[in-house]
Amino acid sequence: MRKIFWFISIVSLLAAAASVFAQSVLQGGGTVFTVSGNVSADGLGVSNATVVLLINSGVVESTTTDSSGNYVMNAIGGNSYIATAYKEGYNFDPAYQGVGTIKSNQIINFQNGIRLCEPAPIGQTGANFCTNASQT
């Protein structure tokens, strides 16, 4: 029984490694680099913002910012990417940033955000608490 368990474990591990290798080759096969940065609005880090790397109009990698607005994700070298940041109630300008062909670790900051909405008061849902920043 133990031999069967180990055999299945090894086969699963080899299959996973082959999948990762195939994905790497299909996407330009290269070194994995990090893409990191900060997302901020009105001078403050934006927590729980989604940062996405796109290639050929498809999502390749996405992550969420920490409590200070920082993020880190991986990207396979040799590919050109577009990065975008999103959080409901915020507007980031520019909305998209071209990363170019990745040949090293990259830092991409989204620091021109504007908070457009106030969060709903605790316990209240279904109401629209958005306020245009130009009206405040």
Side-chain angles (χ1 to χ4, degrees), residues 20-81:
V20 168
F21 176 77
Q23 182 180 9
S24 174
V25 169
L26 288 174
Q27 293 183 1
T31 305
V32 176
F33 295 105
T34 61
V35 175
S36 62
N38 181 269
V39 178
S40 63
D42 301 324
L44 301 172
V46 178
S47 64
N48 296 314
T50 301
V51 180
V52 177
L53 281 180
L54 304 158
I55 187 169
N56 296 330
S57 299
V59 174
V60 175
E61 186 79 29
S62 69
T63 191
T64 304
T65 58
D66 65 15
S67 60
S68 299
N70 300 312
Y71 72 92
V72 177
M73 65 180 118
N74 293 323
I76 296 174
N79 291 305
S80 293
Y81 297 91

Side-chain angles (χ1 to χ4, degrees), residues 11 23 30 32 37 44 47 62-63 67 69 81 91 93 95 102 106 110 118-119 124 126-127 130 134:
V11 169
Q23 182 180 9
V32 176
L44 301 172
S47 64
S62 69
T63 191
S67 60
Y81 297 91
N91 183 33
D93 184 26
I102 297 219
Q106 302 289 312
F110 294 88
E118 292 297 322
Q124 293 187 19
C130 251
S134 65

